[in-house]
């Protein structure tokens, strides 16, 4: 019979503190508690007691145990325990973070690397899906990436129904520092467990034995155990008449009592440490009675499930084995693990190392490091590969490790961007020193320099990267594509042909990954000159990525395709498809970028609710993940929406926040100038546009030149710009962008009208109206500014244009522009319109799509099957104007034909076909 106390003894104050923490979490005041103490002091028992208490109060309890052999093991176990439950959280609760969590499992496929902060946020989303207690044991054995996630969690639990409990030994290592720092900033508390008192040892012995221990036995228990509960129980389960001199002896007495077959099973399990894989251990011992032997060990309270009841048990078992026996058993365990769990490379490497097979251990570590890097676990990859370096001095093995480390280098700047690549550069310097000391071949040193140059490209250190490649004589695709990236980053037009030539050569000769990388460079090279050609590069890039299963490159290509289509057509379909693909893959950073581009596109389209929705979604996620540059763009969307409504206070507030997030002066000036236009303050708008024009000195590329179209239109409308300025811009790369083409067409119409070319002015206006269908400011600012010119010079349909503009700005809450339109109409002698009951007459779904009151009037007649000529006669419009309204209605509602439009609109407005 084995003795164990059925109750927790001597931890009253500690239990009260932890129960209070559970109560606080129940009231959404979560946090962390660290249980710190020596082995056997009762940390796990106390954690289990509190977990049971929390479970009875309706908390979900997730558990994990850290291991040096398996990075992220504690968190992976906790994640898996959540998904094993019947009511496991689903995509509705976790959204795009669900795939991130699934990638944390040991056999997760490589493909989409996750920045550490994204992984941490994914775990946080999982925990906060319901009230939860997370128990992480043996945190002192955790890898750096596990500790980084724990640190992130602790900083984000204050308002959540979550309690994190972690057990650790008081060692001056990363886990103890984490606990001390978190406690100092009040993100967690620390409970330090000490030995039991004489009275508490007596109580523990009484609970184990069912009766008080004899005085002489109790005296020995107190003297030998030093108040450590595990030692007390082990001694009681030994020979009370002759207390063993060590706890190990007491433990081994219990092991040997089970017989030689069971001892063999326990030895096979102990070779793995406290936690062991049952299937592998069973394969190692090859005993038909293994299930019964496990039951015997459980009844003896030596093991529980796939764990020894205490780490000291495994230590005692392996401690008495001879070195030869341990090595032999470790090799058998390594072979069995390779057969049954081939993805657990870190564990296999540890077993081969224990078995004296250094070469095999290093080979596993190389593969494990590469796999970790592919998943974005840069810190883990470096730890694994540097562990391999410490194992061997063999030149060939060392070379393999250095090659793998060099391949990992660029990920440093991707996954840990805040240090601007410093960590990766430092690693590169260490590699170079190691290569020099080993008198390595020049090719190997060149490979490390290339890796460092890649880091420079990611970190934006263009000159540094080119210096690293200055001595490279190779013309391989890898070097070509990195050089092309660095040259392009310098943003100098005279270097563009060279960058393009290098990228073309790399795209013709490289591996699939290099081809994708080269096509990305070619896209950037050509986007500022020929969007159609850039789109062709992206389509090839997408094809290569899909053909070779390059998930991350595929997502980047989809996003770039969406961005290009945004410029070409101001459409959102491709961006929405890219966003969905990113969400399905859990590519959070790409998802945020897609949301930002969608927010900006909806802003151009005048769909402000949608713009605000996507901008806010991106901003919230970017802020949570510390992506400050992306957060600045989200604030810029907010500023843009306020500016489009002429809301100066809201615009200035957003711009002030934009400055805090490092937003560019260009965005600042553009938003302020647009707000001035909506306030009818043209002098101020032009002054801000002019200051911006002077400030922008770098070469013109499509990104970052969104102010030039409206600036030209305002200057032309006010007689400040003529044909030369118009032609210069209209013949530039900006003429590919629908947004700018619209402004250029309006400007051309005004200039032609002034020159007396009425037909040309009408044709240009028709082009502007066609291009601006489904857009916001490019259409209505054009109507507002072209109307007075058309009235003065006798071309176009200025009264109809001004009425449409007035209606739009009135409906959008931009009173200054609406009043200006009415003033021009009055001066032109147009009959005063009785103010309609405005957009409230338009059904909600149509209002949301941006349908105006005038368009709604047209739509009602379209639904009643009237032709354009009949509608024009009834509404006193020209047939051409009706045609434009119908085109706008189809664009706003996403319908391809008149029939589709009728089918869509009839239920909304109650129309019916005429008899």
């Amino acid at each position: 019979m084995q003795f164990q106390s059925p109750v927790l003894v001597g931890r009253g104050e500690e239990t009260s503190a932890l129960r209070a923490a559970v109560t606080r979490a129940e009231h959404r005041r979560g946090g962390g508690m660290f249980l710190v103490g020596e082995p056997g002091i009762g940390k796990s028992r106390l954690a289990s007691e509190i977990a049971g208490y929390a479970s009875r109060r309706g908390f979900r309890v997730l558990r994990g145990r850290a291991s040096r052999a398996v990075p992220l093991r504690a968190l992976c176990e906790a994640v898996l325990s959540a998904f094993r439950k019947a009511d496991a959280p689903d995509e509705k609760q976790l959204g795009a973070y669900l795939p991130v969590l699934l990638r944390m499992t040991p056999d997760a496929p490589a493909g989409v690397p996750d920045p550490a902060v994204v992984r941490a946020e994914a775990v946080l989303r999982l925990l906060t899906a319901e009230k939860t207690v997370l128990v992480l044991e043996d945190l002192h054995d955790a890898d750096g990436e596990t500790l980084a996630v724990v640190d992130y969690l602790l900083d984000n639990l204050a308002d959540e129904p979550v309690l994190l409990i972690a057990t650790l030994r008081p060692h001056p290592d990363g886990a103890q520092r984490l606990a001390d720092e978190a406690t100092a900033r009040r993100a967690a508390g620390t409970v330090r467990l000490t030995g039991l008192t004489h009275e508490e040892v007596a109580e523990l012995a009484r609970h184990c034995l069912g009766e008080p221990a004899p005085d002489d036995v109790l005296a020995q228990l107190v003297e030998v155990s030093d108040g450590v509960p595990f030692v007390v129980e082990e001694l009681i389960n030994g020979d009370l008449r002759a207390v063993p001199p060590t706890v190990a002896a007491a433990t081994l007495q219990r092991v040997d009592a089970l017989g030689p077959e069971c001892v063999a099973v326990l030895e096979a399990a102990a070779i793995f440490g406290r936690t062991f894989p049952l299937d592998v251990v069973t394969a190692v011992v090859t005993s038909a009675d293994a299930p019964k032997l496990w039951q015997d060990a459980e009844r003896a309270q030596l093991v529980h499930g796939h764990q020894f009841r205490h780490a000291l048990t495994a230590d005692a078992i392996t401690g008495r084995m001879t070195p030869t026996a341990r090595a032999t058993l470790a090799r058998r365990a390594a072979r069995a693990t390779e057969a049954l769990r081939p993805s657990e490379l870190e564990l296999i490497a540890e077993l081969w190392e224990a078995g004296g097979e250094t070469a095999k251990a290093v080979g596993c570590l190389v593969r494990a490091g590469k796999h970790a890097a592919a998943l974005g676990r840069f810190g883990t990859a470096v730890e694994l590969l540097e562990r391999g370096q410490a194992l061997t001095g063999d030149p060939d093995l060392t070379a393999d490790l250095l090659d793998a480390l060099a391949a990992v280098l660029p990920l440093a700047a991707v996954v840990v961007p805040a240090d601007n690549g410093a960590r990766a550069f430092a690693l590169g310097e260490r590699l170079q020193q190691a290569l020099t000391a080993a008198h390595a071949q020049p090719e190997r040193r060149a490979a490390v320099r290339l890796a460092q140059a890649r880091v420079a490209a990611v970190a934006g250190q263009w000159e540094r990267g080119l210096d690293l490649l200055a001595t490279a004589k190779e013309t391989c695709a890898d070097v070509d594509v990195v050089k092309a990236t660095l040259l392009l980053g310098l943003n100098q037009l005279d270097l563009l042909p060279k960058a393009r030539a290098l990228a073309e050569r790399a795209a013709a000769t490289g591996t699939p990954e290099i081809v994708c990388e080269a096509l990305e460079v070619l896209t950037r090279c050509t986007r500022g000159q020929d969007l159609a050609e850039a789109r062709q590069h992206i389509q090839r890039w997408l094809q290569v990525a899909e053909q070779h299963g390059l998930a991350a490159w595929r997502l980047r290509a989809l996003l770039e395709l969406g961005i290009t289509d945004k410029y070409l057509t101001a459409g959102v379909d491709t961006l929405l498809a890219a966003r969905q693909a990113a969400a399905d893959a859990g590519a959070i950073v790409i998802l945020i970028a897609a949301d930002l581009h969608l927010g900006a596109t909806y802003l151009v389209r005048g769909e402000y609710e949608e713009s605000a929705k996507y901008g806010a979604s991106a901003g919230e996620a970017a802020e949570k993940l510390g992506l400050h540059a992306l957060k600045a763009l989200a604030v810029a969307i907010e500023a843009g929406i306020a500016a489009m409504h002429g809301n100066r206070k809201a615009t200035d507030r957003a711009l002030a926040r934009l400055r805090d997030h490092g937003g560019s002066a260009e965005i600042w000036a553009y938003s302020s100038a647009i707000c001035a236009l909506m306030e009818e303050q043209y002098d101020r708008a032009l002054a801000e546009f002019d200051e911006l024009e002077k400030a922008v000195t770098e070469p013109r590329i499509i990104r970052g030149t969104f102010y030039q179209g409206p600036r030209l239109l305002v200057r032309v409308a006010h007689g400040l710009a003529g044909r030369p300025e118009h032609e210069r811009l209209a013949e530039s790369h900006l003429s590919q962008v629908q947004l700018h083409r619209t402004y250029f067409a309006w400007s051309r119409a005004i200039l032609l009208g002034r020159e007396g070319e009425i037909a040309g002015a009408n044709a240009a206006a028709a082009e502007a109206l066609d291009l601006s269908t489904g857009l916001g400011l490019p259409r209505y600012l054009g109507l507002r500014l072209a109307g007075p010119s058309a009235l003065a010079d006798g071309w176009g349909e200025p009264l109809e244009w001004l009425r449409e503009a007035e209606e739009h700005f009135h409906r959008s809450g931009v009173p200054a522009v609406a009043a200006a339109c009415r003033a021009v109409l009055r001066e032109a002698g147009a009959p005063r319109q009785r103010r309609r009951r405005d957009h409230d007459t338009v059904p909600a779904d149509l209002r949301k799509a941006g349908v105006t009151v005038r368009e709604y009037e047209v739509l009602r007649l379209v639904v009643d099957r009237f032709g354009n000529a009949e509608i024009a006669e009834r509404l006193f419009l020209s047939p051409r104007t009706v045609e434009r309204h119908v085109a706008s209605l189809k664009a706003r509602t996403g319908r391809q034909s008149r029939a589709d439009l009728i089918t869509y609109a009839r239920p909304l407005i109650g129309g019916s076909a005429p008899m």
Side-chain angles (χ1 to χ4, degrees):
M1 179 179 178
Q2 301 301 323
F3 299 100
Q4 183 180 22
S5 173
V7 299
L8 186 66
V9 173
R11 301 300 184 199
E13 290 184 9
E14 295 88 344
T15 300
S16 296
L18 289 163
R19 287 188 172 186
V22 172
T23 301
R24 289 195 298 274
E26 201 165 21
H27 292 87
R28 302 191 72 87
R29 290 184 288 123
M33 294 294 287
F34 292 98
L35 309 186
V36 183
E38 297 292 343
I41 204 69
K43 303 184 295 295
S44 296
R45 180 66 185 273
L46 179 57
S48 294
E49 188 79 12
I50 297 305
Y53 170 76
S55 180
R56 292 190 295 273
R57 296 187 65 156
F59 278 77
R60 171 184 58 169
V61 177
L62 307 180
R63 299 173 183 270
R65 184 182 300 278
S67 166
R68 288 192 182 91
V70 184
L72 290 175
R73 176 172 181 166
L75 295 169
C76 291
E77 287 183 355
V79 168
L80 289 172
S81 68
F83 285 109
R84 278 195 291 264
K85 297 179 182 294
D87 55 346
D90 54 21
E91 188 173 358
K92 183 177 180 181
Q93 292 171 289
L94 299 174
Y97 286 91
L98 177 58
V100 180
L101 290 166
L102 297 178
R103 282 197 289 274
M104 290 179 62
T105 57
D107 55 351
V112 181
D114 297 313
V117 68
V118 170
R119 191 180 305 120
E121 177 64 18
V123 176
L124 178 65
R125 298 283 179 108
L126 174 67
L127 297 182
T128 56
E130 58 183 280
K131 62 180 187 179
T132 302
V133 168
L134 171 64
V135 179
L136 300 178
E137 295 204 56
D138 295 341
L139 202 63
H140 50 272
D141 279 340
D143 58 290
E145 297 199 35
T146 296
L147 296 179
V149 172
V150 171
D151 195 41
Y152 182 91
L153 295 176
L154 292 172
D155 282 339
N156 288 278
L157 294 181
D159 300 317
E160 302 291 349
V162 177
L163 175 63
L164 187 156
I165 299 174
T167 69
L168 63 148
R169 297 175 186 173
H171 297 165
D173 56 10
Q176 184 64 67
R177 286 196 302 273
L178 169 64
D180 292 343
E181 291 168 3
T183 301
R185 65 178 186 266
R186 299 187 179 181
T190 295
V191 172
R192 299 188 182 277
L193 302 184
T194 57
L196 302 178
T197 64
H198 183 287
E199 292 75 13
E200 289 166 344
V201 171
E203 183 183 355
L204 178 60
R206 180 174 59 81
H207 282 299
C208 288
L209 297 168
E211 60 185 18
D215 290 343
D216 58 336
V217 170
L218 181 58
Q220 288 178 302
L221 288 176
V222 171
E223 180 181 355
V224 175
S225 72
D226 199 26
V228 177
F230 174 77
V231 177
V232 173
E233 291 182 348
E234 288 300 293
L235 293 173
I236 289 174
N237 283 296
D239 188 348
L240 283 174
R241 291 166 299 178
V243 178
T246 67
V247 177
T251 301
L252 292 174
Q253 283 183 358
R254 294 168 58 197
V255 171
D256 291 338
L258 296 175
E261 286 190 328
C262 196
V263 170
V265 170
L266 292 173
E267 285 178 344
I271 209 72
F272 289 91
R274 182 177 183 182
T275 303
F276 46 82
L278 277 171
D279 55 335
V280 177
V281 173
T282 302
V284 170
V285 295
T286 62
S287 171
D289 294 330
K292 178 183 179 301
L293 298 174
W294 283 121
Q295 291 175 1
D296 292 344
E298 288 224 17
R299 277 195 294 270
Q301 294 185 7
L302 290 165
V303 299
H304 177 69
H306 61 284
Q307 294 177 350
F308 284 99
R309 195 169 68 84
H310 198 278
L312 294 178
T313 305
D315 293 343
I317 292 172
T318 56
R320 74 171 177 182
M321 297 171 66
T322 66
T324 301
R326 278 199 303 272
T328 301
L329 190 55
R331 289 193 294 272
R332 287 167 53 196
R335 285 190 287 269
T337 307
E338 281 185 330
L340 296 174
R341 300 190 175 200
S343 63
E344 297 191 23
L345 294 167
E346 298 92 336
L347 177 59
I348 296 169
E350 192 169 81
L351 291 168
W352 282 127
E353 181 185 352
E357 297 281 356
T358 301
K360 291 182 178 180
V362 172
C364 285
L365 289 171
V366 168
R367 297 199 304 276
K370 290 180 177 178
H371 182 69
L375 293 174
R377 300 174 187 171
F378 171 75
T380 295
V382 172
E383 287 176 13
L384 292 168
L385 295 169
E386 291 189 330
R387 189 196 307 173
Q389 278 189 287
L391 289 180
T392 182
D394 180 272
D396 290 332
L397 291 176
T398 301
D400 290 342
L401 284 161
L402 292 175
D403 284 347
L405 276 166
V408 170
L409 266 177
L411 287 168
V414 175
V415 179
V416 194
D419 69 353
N420 204 30
R423 182 179 181 186
F425 282 125
L427 175 57
E429 292 305 317
R430 293 204 304 274
L431 291 180
Q432 291 287 14
Q433 291 169 9
L435 289 167
T436 301
H439 304 290
Q441 295 295 319
E443 309 87 70
R444 292 198 178 278
R445 301 189 66 178
V448 175
R449 281 197 301 275
L450 176 61
Q452 288 179 290
R454 281 189 177 279
V455 174
V458 173
Q461 299 186 36
W462 320 116
E463 292 86 354
R464 182 174 186 174
L466 289 168
D467 287 344
L468 285 162
L469 295 181
T471 59
K473 298 179 182 179
E474 303 89 341
T475 58
C476 64
D478 299 56
V479 173
D480 284 345
V481 77
V482 176
K483 276 188 177 179
T485 302
L486 293 164
L487 289 170
L488 188 62
L490 290 172
N491 207 18
Q492 297 175 15
L493 288 177
D494 58 326
L495 295 176
L496 200 60
K498 185 175 181 181
R500 180 168 180 166
L502 287 167
E504 287 173 343
R505 189 164 67 186
T509 61
T511 62
E513 290 89 345
I514 294 298
V515 171
C516 289
E517 189 175 358
L519 289 168
E520 182 179 35
V521 174
L522 285 171
T523 299
R524 294 171 57 201
C525 285
T526 56
R527 190 168 60 192
Q529 300 168 322
D530 189 338
L531 278 171
E533 182 184 352
R535 199 177 195 280
Q536 290 176 353
H537 290 311
I538 299 169
Q539 287 176 320
R540 182 187 166 198
W541 165 9
L542 180 60
Q543 182 182 19
V544 171
E546 290 179 339
Q547 183 179 350
H548 294 278
L550 305 176
W553 281 110
R554 172 180 175 271
L555 292 173
R556 288 166 67 174
L558 286 170
L559 179 62
E560 284 295 331
L561 200 61
I563 295 169
T564 303
D565 285 353
K566 156 190 153 179
Y567 290 132
L568 282 168
T569 67
V572 295
D573 290 349
T574 317
L575 274 173
L576 287 170
R579 183 190 193 279
Q580 187 60 55
D584 291 343
I588 304 300
V589 177
I590 291 179
L591 178 63
I592 294 171
D595 280 350
L596 288 170
H597 285 287
L598 282 165
T601 307
Y602 280 119
L603 182 60
V604 169
R605 292 161 63 100
E607 298 177 41
Y608 301 121
E609 287 185 12
E610 291 296 297
S611 177
K613 179 181 78 172
Y614 284 105
S617 172
E620 180 183 352
E623 185 166 33
K624 194 73 178 288
L625 300 177
L627 304 173
H628 302 299
L630 297 183
K631 173 61 179 177
L633 294 176
V635 177
I637 291 173
E638 184 182 333
I641 294 172
M644 296 291 186
H645 289 82
N647 188 334
R648 175 58 64 180
K649 288 185 178 179
T651 301
D652 287 348
R653 281 198 302 269
L655 290 176
R657 290 174 51 221
L658 181 64
R659 180 181 290 156
D660 294 340
H661 286 281
S664 72
E666 183 176 354
I667 295 174
W668 176 285
Y670 173 77
S671 298
S672 185
I674 292 298
C675 188
L677 292 179
M678 296 300 97
E679 296 170 306
E680 287 285 308
Q681 296 182 20
Y682 288 97
D683 288 344
R684 175 174 179 174
L686 285 169
E688 299 206 51
F689 278 140
D690 291 345
E691 285 299 315
L692 181 53
E693 178 72 5
K694 294 175 186 175
V696 177
T697 57
E698 63 240 16
R700 304 290 192 189
I701 55 173
I702 283 180
R703 179 183 176 191
T705 53
F706 38 78
Y707 69 91
Q708 290 190 324
R711 177 177 181 268
L712 175 67
L713 176 58
V714 175
R715 284 175 56 77
V716 167
H718 286 78
L720 300 173
R723 276 301 187 102
E725 186 171 328
H726 171 271
E727 297 305 326
R728 176 175 60 81
L729 289 172
E731 293 173 4
S732 73
H733 67 281
L734 296 175
S735 62
Q736 306 169 76
V737 183
Q738 183 166 352
L739 166 72
H740 292 301
R741 287 169 61 204
T742 304
Y743 286 120
F744 296 163
W746 283 124
S747 301
R748 186 167 67 256
I750 295 172
L751 290 169
L752 287 168
R754 283 183 189 154
E755 295 166 359
E757 297 188 25
I758 304 304
N762 287 335
E767 181 185 353
L769 289 166
D770 183 57
L771 286 169
S772 66
T773 298
L775 299 184
L777 188 68
R779 181 179 188 88
Y780 297 106
L781 182 62
L783 294 172
R784 158 69 184 96
L785 294 178
S789 294
L791 274 171
D793 298 323
W795 57 275
E797 300 178 41
L799 298 182
E800 179 61 32
W801 297 345
L802 287 164
R803 288 192 186 101
E804 183 181 343
E806 189 277 337
E807 184 177 286
H808 166 80
F809 287 114
H810 177 80
R811 179 167 53 88
S812 301
V814 188
V817 185
C821 292
R822 290 194 295 272
V824 177
L825 286 167
R826 282 196 303 272
E827 290 176 10
R832 182 174 181 179
Q833 286 184 292
R834 192 177 71 180
R835 171 58 55 200
R836 305 179 182 90
R837 291 190 176 272
D838 214 356
H839 64 287
D840 290 339
T841 62
V842 182
D845 286 350
L846 294 175
R847 284 204 311 272
K848 187 175 180 181
V851 173
T852 68
V853 176
R854 175 63 89 184
E855 287 171 347
Y856 180 58
E857 291 174 345
V858 172
L859 180 60
R860 290 182 62 88
L861 294 173
V862 168
V863 169
D864 283 338
R865 305 287 185 177
F866 288 101
N868 286 0
E870 294 172 295
I871 295 172
E873 185 178 349
R874 284 171 176 259
L875 297 180
F876 304 100
L877 300 172
S878 71
R880 188 174 182 81
T881 298
V882 173
E883 183 181 344
R884 287 199 300 267
H885 283 316
V886 172
S888 178
L889 284 163
K890 286 192 288 187
R892 292 186 190 282
T893 59
R895 306 298 126 177
Q896 298 300 314
S897 67
R898 196 180 186 101
D900 288 343
L901 180 63
I902 292 171
T903 302
Y904 167 78
R906 180 175 287 122
L908 298 176
I909 65 177
S912 60
M915 298 295 292

